[in-house]
Amino acid sequence: MNSKVSILAIIEILSSISIGVFILALTYQLLKYVGRKRFDIQTSNLATSIFVASVLFSVGYMVSSVIDPLTSLFRLLAAKDNSVGSLALSFLGTGALYIAIAFVAGIVVVFLSVMLYTSITPLDEFAEIRNNNIGVALIVGTIIITLALLTRDGVGLLIESFIPYPEPISEIKVLYDNLRIPQQISRICRTPY
């Protein structure tokens, strides 16, 4: 058993739970604040709960795009000859950065999707949600979730771009040059049939 990978797995599980709860609580508080200040949503009703659940799911789903890039990074870090302590600190620091980027992206996607949708419809969706219009809450929630589903891979790719992968092109070029493939190809091409 690889002790570095086991420790990283335990750290990943514990940090995912704690950061996940923190991010969802922060999102919920932010949503309550914005809902109260900007849209005058004071009461909790079923329509408001549907809307809030859609936002929470979307942000959580967006943040989950961090898992694959973090796993790749952990494997790269574990391959190096680092102590377990420095490996854990690197993991926590980098993981926090990736999660923050995904969280901001999730909030931006939710905000943009709601603003774009509400600007192209004749309804005042938030007045309808305030009045417990469940149909409007379901439609707005579905739009938020759908846009989160569509943009999650892009956020994951953005986060993946921060991982310091080794340069495979330079390694392939060295192999290519050492094998003298260009000379062999040119000789084959000049050979008559």
Side-chain angles (χ1 to χ4, degrees):
M1 175 164 74
N2 188 337
S3 64
K4 286 182 181 179
V5 174
S6 299
I7 289 172
L8 286 178
I10 291 168
I11 291 171
E12 183 178 349
I13 291 168
L14 294 176
S15 63
S16 294
I17 291 170
S18 59
I19 291 172
V21 168
F22 173 75
I23 283 178
L24 292 177
L26 179 65
T27 304
Y28 180 72
Q29 293 303 321
L30 183 65
L31 198 55
K32 272 180 33 179
Y33 177 78
V34 171
R36 198 171 41 248
K37 293 291 184 190
R38 181 171 168 123
F39 302 109
D40 195 34
I41 298 176
Q42 302 289 338
T43 60
S44 290
N45 56 36
L46 185 56
T48 303
S49 298
I50 291 168
F51 176 74
V52 169
S54 301
V55 171
L56 290 175
F57 174 80
S58 296
V59 170
Y61 186 70
M62 199 66 86
V63 171
S64 74
S65 68
V66 170
I67 293 170
D68 288 337
L70 276 179
T71 303
S72 298
L73 180 68
F74 301 146
R75 291 187 180 169
L76 285 173
L77 290 174
K80 293 181 180 178
D81 201 18
N82 295 335
S83 70
V84 174
S86 69
L87 190 60
L89 284 174
S90 276
F91 163 70
L92 288 173
T94 308
L97 174 67
Y98 290 0
I99 289 169
I101 292 168
F103 175 69
V104 169
I107 295 295
V108 167
V109 165
V110 167
F111 179 75
L112 285 177
S113 62
V114 169
M115 290 303 114
L116 287 172
Y117 180 73
T118 58
S119 69
I120 62 172
T121 60
L123 281 176
D124 181 1
E125 283 80 3
F126 290 102
E128 295 296 322
I129 290 172
R130 241 186 338 268
N131 294 330
N132 201 25
N133 188 333
I134 296 169
V136 170
L138 286 170
I139 289 170
V140 173
T142 301
I143 288 167
I144 292 168
I145 290 171
T146 302
L147 288 174
L149 292 170
L150 293 172
T151 57
R152 179 183 183 263
D153 289 339
V155 171
L157 187 60
L158 173 68
I159 292 167
E160 186 116 14
S161 71
F162 294 117
I163 297 175
Y165 288 115
E167 289 292 324
I169 300 301
S170 62
E171 293 173 19
I172 291 172
K173 185 174 179 346
V174 168
L175 287 173
Y176 181 79
D177 291 342
N178 288 340
L179 292 175
R180 296 185 205 155
I181 291 176
Q183 292 89 359
Q184 293 172 354
I185 291 174
S186 66
R187 188 181 38 171
I188 292 171
C189 291
R190 283 183 275 162
T191 306
Y193 290 101

